[in-house]
Every structure is written in structure tokens, then in C-alpha cells.
Amino acid sequence: MQKMGSYSMLTLCLIWVSLASVVLCANPPRPVDVPFSRNYVPSWAYDHIKYFNGGSEVQLHLDNYTGTGFQSKGSYLFGHFSMNIKMVPGDSAGTVAAFYLSSQNSEHDEIDFEFLGNRTGQPYILQTNVFTGGKGDREQRIYLWFDPTLKYHRYSILWNLYQIVLLVDNIPIRVFKNNKDLGVKFPFNQPMKMYNSLWNADDWATRGGLEKTDWSKSPFIAHYKGFHIDGCEVSVEAKFCATQGKKWWDQPQFQDLDASQWRWLRWVRRKYTIYNYCTDKTRFSQLPIECKRNRDV
């Protein structure tokens, strides 16, 4: 299984079909790679963003002066968002590369990928989190089953009215279901922009802040391409998507994971999860109500 990153998702689906009687995998349509300028603009420290191949690839540079980032031109209610990223190589301790959706108000919604750098030879940690109505505290951390610094890998968010799915190379690593009936808020009426950034967080990112950024190794460089967004673009004040129910992500096969995808998620949980808020009894004396339905326990 360690060689899984070398297989296509179709092959993975067929493997599961050969192991059990499974219906077709409900994978999102193949992302369409576009130039940076189609969907994104720089958001800060413009001079720390470098463009290559006509804008089809960009680099974010972090030094002891500043990090940098970029954001989507539009705001969205639901859709499919993905980015091909090659992480900072070598000694990246203290650095964080983030890929996330976020709304812009005091009770904001947010869906996070955060890649926590480490000392040379130690694995990257991928931290995910989901904020709803300004409340987060839903961290999960995994090791990846490949070295994310050697080549590009695709990181994706599928967000619809029924669930949020975070995927790595089309393999689900986390699901957050719409548990509104349980009293758990779900992002559905706050348009979000897509953000990418590279910044210094050595007060917490690596071993809880014990490992500090070694600025003699700067600039730290992360690589990006793909820039795929397929979402319902709306104004920042919108409360609903005019095409709700009509897009591919609204269809029944995307309202839940299929059997194969649940198996891959269990594989990630069993082999690579190193922290799960749902099992942290020190922080939570009672199991967070959404955890069972999300199959996090």
C-alpha cells in the first residue's frame, strides 16, 4: 500500500471492485488546470510571488522579512477547489503552507489544509480544520504516505450542502457532514474565497513551537500549479446559490462517500492519523456530537 501514490484513482477504484462488490467510485470530475491569473490574484507581498511558464506555475517565497499569499478573485457558495502543490524541501521547520476556504466576518466559516514544516528527514504533518460560525477546535493531523517535496500532489476540497470532503490525490482524508439536525453548524450561507499562503509560524507549527525557523536556510519556496476552481460564484453578500441543486456536486452520488472511499478514509485513519480531536478526551470531556456521523471514531 505504500506505493499507492503511483496509481491512478481509477486503478484504486478497480482494486476495490476486485476486493468486494462495489459500485462506481463517486469521484469529482477531473480538474481543469488553468493559468494563475484565470482565478487568482496576489493578496500580499507581491514581490515574493514568482511566475513561470506563462503563469501556469508560481512560487511562494518566505524569508525573514515576510511570507506571501494569493486569493481567488471570486467568492463561492459550494463547489470543487483543487491545487497542485510541491512543498518546501529540506529543513522547513517553523513554516506553514496553507490552502483554505474562508469567509470574512466575525463568525466566519473556514475549511483548512495546513502543511506544517519539519526538520530535514522528518515528515511533513498535514493539519486540517473546519470552522463553522466562528468555531474551530476540530483539528486532525496526519502524516502523508509520500514525500510532498519531491513532486506535485493534488489537494482538493469538495463542498456541497451535504458534506465537506478533503482529498489528497483524490483520496479522502476527512469528511465533515452536514449535522445541522444535531445542532452543529455547517457552512451554507457565507460565501468563501480560496486562499493560499506561505508564512512563518514557529511559535506553534513544529513540535508545538520548540523547533524554530532556521533563517539561514531561507528563502523557503513552495510551488503551485493547477489553480482549479469549479464553484458557484456569488457576491460576498449572497446567502444562497442561484443554481443550487443543479450542479454536479449537488447530485446524489456526491451526497456521501461511496464504499470504496470510506475504505480509503479508514485506511488513512488507521495508518497515518496522529491526532484527532474526536479522540482527545483531555480537551473534550464529552465526545463532540458530530464525530460519530463523520465516522471519526
Side-chain angles (χ1 to χ4, degrees):
M1 298 299 289
Q2 293 294 324
K3 295 181 180 179
M4 186 174 62
S6 65
Y7 295 114
S8 70
M9 198 62 196
L10 175 59
T11 303
L12 298 178
C13 293
L14 292 175
I15 291 171
W16 281 123
V17 170
S18 69
L19 295 175
S21 179
V22 178
V23 297
L24 290 175
C25 295
N27 295 315
R30 184 177 179 84
V32 178
D33 294 341
V34 298
F36 173 87
S37 60
R38 175 78 60 85
N39 291 322
Y40 286 96
V41 293
S43 50
W44 52 293
Y46 293 17
D47 61 333
H48 281 55
I49 303 178
K50 311 300 180 183
Y51 302 88
F52 299 89
N53 298 324
S56 63
E57 299 183 49
V58 303
Q59 294 178 359
L60 298 188
H61 288 225
L62 165 67
D63 56 28
N64 60 354
Y65 173 69
T66 185
T68 188
F70 57 92
Q71 67 186 55
S72 63
K73 294 178 179 179
S75 298
Y76 302 88
L77 276 173
F78 310 119
H80 182 231
F81 310 84
S82 73
M83 186 72 65
N84 292 337
I85 310 175
K86 185 166 60 172
M87 298 300 163
V88 175
D91 188 342
S92 58
T95 70
V96 174
F99 167 65
Y100 64 102
L101 284 163
S102 182
S103 63
Q104 300 297 308
N105 51 47
S106 58
E107 295 186 355
H108 79 294
D109 296 332
E110 186 171 316
I111 306 166
D112 290 342
F113 280 87
E114 291 181 311
F115 301 88
L116 312 183
N118 218 329
R119 292 296 178 210
T120 301
Q122 298 299 312
Y124 260 82
I125 292 173
L126 170 53
Q127 175 172 285
T128 62
N129 204 349
V130 178
F131 289 75
T132 59
K135 179 185 181 302
D137 297 328
R138 298 187 178 100
E139 297 92 347
Q140 293 181 359
R141 290 185 173 189
I142 69 170
Y143 289 134
L144 295 165
W145 49 93
F146 52 83
D147 184 341
T149 72
L150 295 180
K151 65 178 183 178
Y152 283 101
H153 291 269
R154 188 179 294 278
Y155 306 94
S156 306
I157 299 170
L158 173 64
W159 169 37
N160 60 32
L161 193 57
Y162 308 96
Q163 63 179 354
I164 296 164
V165 185
L166 286 75
L167 306 106
V168 175
D169 290 335
N170 237 18
I171 295 170
I173 63 163
R174 181 170 188 173
V175 174
F176 188 83
K177 307 293 285 186
N178 187 339
N179 294 302
K180 187 171 61 175
D181 60 315
L182 300 179
V184 179
K185 291 183 177 180
F186 185 84
F188 75 98
N189 65 353
Q190 295 190 53
M192 293 196 272
K193 287 182 177 291
M194 190 81 240
Y195 296 89
N196 289 265
S197 59
L198 178 62
W199 50 291
N200 178 48
D202 66 2
D203 56 332
W204 66 270
T206 307
R207 296 184 60 217
L210 295 177
E211 301 283 355
K212 300 300 183 182
T213 304
D214 182 353
W215 293 112
S216 71
K217 302 295 196 301
S218 69
F220 302 99
I221 302 173
H223 304 250
Y224 299 76
K225 66 179 182 179
F227 311 111
H228 168 82
I229 293 178
D230 184 8
C232 178
E233 187 169 358
V234 296
S235 72
V236 293
E237 296 85 13
K239 297 297 182 184
F240 65 92
C241 171
T243 60
Q244 182 64 41
K246 300 177 182 178
K247 295 292 189 177
W248 64 262
W249 56 78
D250 299 313
Q251 303 314 305
Q253 64 266 39
F254 298 103
Q255 295 177 15
D256 195 4
L257 299 188
D258 64 24
S260 172
Q261 291 169 320
W262 281 118
R263 287 188 182 96
W264 284 115
L265 182 57
R266 286 196 298 271
W267 180 80
V268 172
R269 287 277 171 272
R270 185 175 67 254
K271 298 275 288 183
Y272 296 102
T273 298
I274 58 174
Y275 177 80
N276 183 353
Y277 79 105
C278 287
T279 59
D280 190 339
K281 295 182 179 179
T282 302
R283 288 178 67 190
F284 303 101
S285 57
Q286 290 187 323
L287 181 73
I289 195 170
E290 71 271 14
C291 290
K292 284 190 176 180
R293 189 176 289 178
N294 294 338
R295 301 196 196 182
D296 284 324
V297 293

